[in-house]
Amino acid sequence: MLEKITDDILRIKVPFADIYTTVCIVNAPCGVVLFDTATTARDVDGYIAPAFEKLNLKPDYVFISHNHGDHSGGLPR
């Protein structure tokens, strides 16, 4: 579930309850930024890591927009 927003921003739609949590990959001048980490290690392994593998990228930075579990829960992974 990878969606191009702009040339430098990609959205990963991660299922959460009956909606989606948005996680973004941002190609910034400072490097590749993972913007939020979804809810669980399962989200990271099932959605985020495969997106990075598909794009042949690795995150240089992780940015957490706010401390709600659906945005920061995957951070320990």
Side-chain angles (χ1 to χ4, degrees), residues 14 37-50 69 72-77:
V14 180
T37 60
T39 307
T40 64
R42 178 180 278 168
D43 292 338
V44 174
D45 294 341
Y47 297 94
I48 298 170
S72 63
L75 186 59
R77 177 70 176 98

Side-chain angles (χ1 to χ4, degrees), residues 4-70:
K4 183 177 178 179
I5 303 297
T6 71
D7 287 341
D8 296 319
I9 302 172
L10 298 166
R11 176 184 181 204
I12 305 168
K13 289 173 63 176
V14 180
F16 177 73
D18 60 346
I19 58 172
Y20 291 95
T21 292
T22 295
V23 173
C24 290
I25 298 170
V26 179
N27 286 309
C30 63
V32 177
V33 180
L34 172 61
F35 192 93
D36 285 340
T37 60
T39 307
T40 64
R42 178 180 278 168
D43 292 338
V44 174
D45 294 341
Y47 297 94
I48 298 170
F52 274 95
E53 288 173 15
K54 180 178 180 177
L55 298 166
N56 197 29
L57 292 175
K58 291 184 179 181
D60 296 304
Y61 303 96
V62 177
F63 181 91
I64 301 298
S65 63
H66 60 286
N67 195 24
H68 285 170
D70 61 323

